[in-house]
Each structure stands twice: as structure tokens, then as C-alpha cells.
Amino acid sequence: MEWYSAPGKVILYGEHFVVYGNRAVLCAINRRVQVSAVPRSDDIISIQSDVASTRYSMNDYATIDPALAPLRHIAESRCPGGVDIHVRSEIPPGAGLGSSSACCVAAAAAVSPKQSPPRSVLALALDAERTIHPNSSGADCAASTYGGIIEYSKESPKPVWRRPPDTMRLVVADSGAEHSTARMVETVARFARDNPERFDTMKDMADSLAGLALSSMDAGDIHTLGRLASQNQSLLEDIGVSNDTMRDMIHIADRHSYGSKITGAGGGGCIVAITDGSNSGRTASALESAGYHAFEVSADAAGVNPL
Ligand code: PMV
């Protein structure tokens, strides 16, 4: 049985605004999802994962757990005789760390012909992800497919790799509350509908923040990267994807790090703090002492690959 593995991600700058065409900066992280797909010839589709499992005949109408819709799409579109899919994950679901997109990408690779180009794996993964998140920008799937730190926009989905400062460390803390990406994207759509001019201004600000972050990354300027994360967080507050728990975590992280923000859709899930060796430990300990699970992640240069 051949397994394929794809990394999760944090969004460093530009989530939500990327849905409206902005640039975002993402970092694939060293937490991965592994998927194997073994073809069958009896029309049975079987999916086993920690989140949910199912087994049904393609000849019968089957109701399945909505969380499995992306894998169902991949199985039914690419495995005409049926398939056994197994998923193993190191990434908590609903935390904004890209568990669902990493799963889609690893599964897309597992059912694709060997040596398929990354762009075709990404296209299938994105079709699958859009079964549960129709407006997905594709940013998460791109980070899982290509790995590393990437600049991504919907107009040029082949991402540009960027080199992080050698000393940069990322501390992630989990609120413990699962979030729904679709619901948070809808919250932002409502904000944009109700405040079109304000949203346009914020979108421009978010795009220039992403641009400044990319040049600060090239210059190795961690202090500025932290400050830009905090400015990005203010925009996320304004568009309504934060809450008291996220604010508490950010307040704690900002006492020790260079700056922190929600990563991903918000409304729960994780924050990410920009640090280096001088303050990463203190940042993580302070968050842990306050009862939040906190850990350091590093950039994973490897995108989707066979195990
Ligand atoms: O599902 P999450 O938490 O990784 O968030 C996805 C990122 C968004 O920008 C909020 C949505 C998108 O499609 O890019």
C-alpha cells in the first residue's frame, strides 16, 4: 500500500482577503496528513479516518458524514471500481492548520498516476475541497501541494517560494475551539456587502501588508514581520473573525513575541506568533500557563510526496 503525505499550513498574512483576489503568505508546517488509496473492483468505497469513516456501494445512494464529502468526490471521480482510503493525521481538525486541505492534497496524489504534475494534484484537491468550502481561494491546498513559504493569489495559483529569515520561529497556540471556515468566510462576505467602501480600503491595506511582509522576509527583518502580523490582526478584528478567546491569546503572545495574529479563518482555531530563539520559549510557556496548547512549528519545505 503506498502512502502519500502532505503538510498542513499556517497563514502568516492575508487570510480572508485572499478570497477577494489579494496576495497571501503561507507557510507549510512540519505537521502532516498521510493518505493511502488502494483501488477495488467491487464498486465499494471505504474511507477510514479519525474524523469519520464510511463504507458504501457506488451503486446505492449513500448519505455520509459531510466531513467526508471531499474524499468522496476524489474517490467517485477517480476510482471507478471503488477504493479503500485510509487517512492518518498529525493535524487537529478545525484548527486553521490546514488538516482538510492537506488531506485533500494527499488523497488527490494517492489516486493520481505516479509522477503527476503538482498542478494536476492541486486541481483535483481544490475541486474536492470546494465540495465543503465552495469559495475556497485555493491558498491552503497550494501550500500543502508545494510546501515551503509561499506567496499565493487566485490569479497566479502557481505560488512563488520565499525564504524565511533563518532565525524566525513560529509559535502556534490552539484555542481548543473548532471553527467552520465556510461560516467565517460567510461572516466576511456579509461585512463586505454591508461596508463595501470600508472593505475595499481594508483589502488594499491587507495587500500592502502582505507586500511589506514579503520584502521584510527577504530582508530577514523579524521585528517588522511581527509588527505586520499585529497590523494584520487589527484588520481581522475589524472584519469580525476574532473573539474574546482569540484576543486573550494574542494579548498573551504579544507580551513576549514580536507580534501575533489569528491564522486561518478565525472564530476559533489557532493563533501564530512571530518569534526567534530569544523569545519563542517564553511565548509558548506563557500561552501554556494560561491553559492554551502552544507549540513551535517550523517551515516544511517538502510539499506533497510519496512516503
Ligand atoms: O480553513 P482555514 O482556517 O485554513 O482558512 C482558510 C483561509 C481563508 O482565507 C479564510 C479562506 C480561503 O479560502 O482562503
Side-chain angles (χ1 to χ4, degrees), residues 173-185:
D174 192 346
S175 66
E178 272 194 38
H179 69 188
S180 154
T181 300
R183 204 171 320 126
M184 298 320 291
V185 167

Side-chain angles (χ1 to χ4, degrees), residues 9 11 15-16 18-19 96 133 135-137 139-140 179 181 185 264-265:
K9 62 88 194 64
I11 302 184
E15 55 272 272
H16 285 294
V18 67
V19 173
H133 179 14
N135 292 327
S136 172
S137 66
D140 291 13
H179 69 188
T181 300
V185 167

Side-chain angles (χ1 to χ4, degrees), residues 11-20 22 24 184-185 187-188 191 198-199 202-203 205-206 209 228-243 246-247 250 260-268 270-272:
I11 302 184
L12 295 176
Y13 306 93
E15 55 272 272
H16 285 294
F17 297 99
V18 67
V19 173
Y20 297 85
N22 269 18
M184 298 320 291
V185 167
T187 299
V188 176
F191 179 90
R198 190 160 167 230
F199 187 74
M202 293 165 87
K203 181 171 165 300
M205 284 166 74
L209 279 180
L228 293 167
S230 298
Q231 289 172 6
N232 193 155
Q233 175 59 21
S234 301
L235 294 174
L236 294 173
E237 289 283 349
D238 290 347
I239 58 174
V241 300
S242 191
N243 60 32
M246 312 310 286
R247 276 188 285 278
I250 283 158
S260 66
K261 60 181 275 294
I262 286 169
T263 180
C270 290
I271 64 154
V272 60

Side-chain angles (χ1 to χ4, degrees), residues 31 171-176 248-250 252-253 255-256 271 280-296:
R31 306 279 157 126
V171 173
V172 168
D174 192 346
S175 66
D248 184 45
M249 294 165 86
I250 283 158
I252 296 166
R255 275 194 228 133
H256 304 281
I271 64 154
S280 58
R282 272 185 292 134
T283 305
S285 311
L287 286 156
E288 282 280 341
S289 305
Y292 301 111
H293 178 42
F295 47 95
E296 225 182 271

Side-chain angles (χ1 to χ4, degrees), residues 49-225:
S49 84
D50 290 342
V51 173
S53 295
T54 188
R55 182 188 162 86
Y56 64 92
S57 165
M58 288 165 85
N59 304 319
D60 299 329
Y61 177 77
T63 312
I64 63 162
D65 188 313
L68 295 179
L71 291 179
R72 174 186 210 163
H73 173 85
I74 288 173
E76 292 185 3
S77 62
R78 294 301 170 98
C79 307
V83 64
D84 278 324
I85 293 181
H86 285 87
V87 181
R88 302 189 298 224
S89 178
E90 301 164 357
I91 309 172
L97 298 180
S99 85
S100 147
S101 41
C103 180
C104 289
V105 169
V111 301
S112 296
K114 277 193 187 7
Q115 317 294 341
S116 290
R119 68 171 186 287
S120 71
V121 171
L122 174 57
L124 176 58
L126 196 45
D127 280 349
E129 182 166 82
R130 286 187 171 142
T131 60
I132 46 169
H133 179 14
N135 292 327
S136 172
S137 66
D140 291 13
C141 284
S144 286
T145 302
Y146 291 98
I149 291 199
I150 59 164
E151 172 190 348
Y152 175 90
S153 75
K154 283 204 296 197
E155 279 97 74
S156 50
K158 168 112 179 55
V160 182
W161 274 286
R162 310 299 286 228
R163 193 178 152 69
D166 288 337
T167 51
M168 184 170 86
R169 298 199 180 168
L170 299 174
V171 173
V172 168
D174 192 346
S175 66
E178 272 194 38
H179 69 188
S180 154
T181 300
R183 204 171 320 126
M184 298 320 291
V185 167
E186 183 45 40
T187 299
V188 176
R190 217 175 310 120
F191 179 90
R193 258 194 319 269
D194 295 347
N195 308 275
E197 280 166 21
R198 190 160 167 230
F199 187 74
D200 271 355
T201 309
M202 293 165 87
K203 181 171 165 300
D204 289 347
M205 284 166 74
D207 201 57
S208 51
L209 279 180
L212 284 170
L214 290 165
S215 43
S216 307
M217 211 166 263
D218 294 342
D221 182 351
I222 299 184
H223 288 81
T224 302
L225 287 169

